[in-house]
Amino acid sequence: MKEIFHRVSIRRYESRPVEEEKVEQLLRAAMAAPSARNQQPWAFYVVTDRGTLGALADCSPYAGCLREAPLGIVVCCQTNCPRPEYAQIDCSAATENLLLAADSLGLGAVWLGIAPIQERMEAAARALSLPEELCAFAFIACGYPAESRPQQDRYDTDRVHYIK
């Protein structure tokens, strides 16, 4: 539970690279996510190339932190899965797992959503030369944090309703 109550969106990173072992742990955590009918409709593009990170940053006005991040991960959805209507939900679960894993590994990360905005998804597909059966869902900028912030307590009793 520690990571759930510690994780915050980090947009500034040290320049040092993220070790391959940690990248694999992030991806393993993402792929451990629940998925409708166990279809696991995700694919992940791991990006460290500065030019590609810059091209991805240009896909959304909110993705600028990718320019300086040592690592970007693009979460993609398979469009040819058995239940495509659940693909983005499944990829959301995978993205959250990855963010929690990043925190547990001493990394900082931020979810940079691009879906369902079609023009951003298409720009990402072009930047990565994605095959037709994949669509870009989200970017995750990741690295060793160069900033520190406390997590806000978002618990709101007004949003909780009991039926007894």
Side-chain angles (χ1 to χ4, degrees), residues 23-84:
V23 173
E24 182 177 329
Q25 287 181 291
L26 294 173
L27 297 170
R28 285 181 174 277
M31 291 183 209
S35 142
R37 299 184 68 197
N38 200 29
Q39 66 181 349
Q40 303 172 40
W42 42 65
F44 303 89
Y45 281 67
V46 178
V47 182
T48 56
D49 176 75
R50 303 277 10 125
T52 306
L53 287 167
L56 293 172
D58 291 338
C59 295
S60 167
Y62 307 104
C65 63
L66 278 169
R67 272 186 222 297
E68 303 303 322
L71 172 66
I73 297 176
V74 182
V75 182
C76 297
C77 296
Q78 294 178 6
T79 58
N80 60 353
C81 58
R83 298 300 300 264

Side-chain angles (χ1 to χ4, degrees), residues 69-163:
L71 172 66
I73 297 176
V74 182
V75 182
C76 297
C77 296
Q78 294 178 6
T79 58
N80 60 353
C81 58
R83 298 300 300 264
E85 64 271 25
Y86 294 113
Q88 287 189 3
I89 296 168
D90 293 347
C91 287
S92 291
T95 300
E96 179 69 5
N97 273 16
L98 195 152
L99 294 172
L100 293 172
D103 188 81
S104 77
L105 294 169
L107 300 170
V110 61
W111 180 338
L112 304 164
I114 57 170
I117 301 172
Q118 200 62 37
E119 67 186 33
R120 294 178 189 169
M121 295 168 69
E122 290 170 1
R126 286 190 300 274
L128 294 172
S129 300
L130 291 180
E132 191 174 302
E133 67 274 6
L134 290 180
C135 67
F137 170 72
F139 302 151
I140 299 169
C142 187
Y144 286 94
E147 64 179 336
S148 177
R149 295 178 313 138
Q151 187 188 61
Q152 299 172 2
D153 183 354
R154 296 180 180 174
Y155 185 74
D156 181 352
T157 57
D158 291 338
R159 294 177 180 244
V160 178
H161 308 278
Y162 291 96
I163 301 171

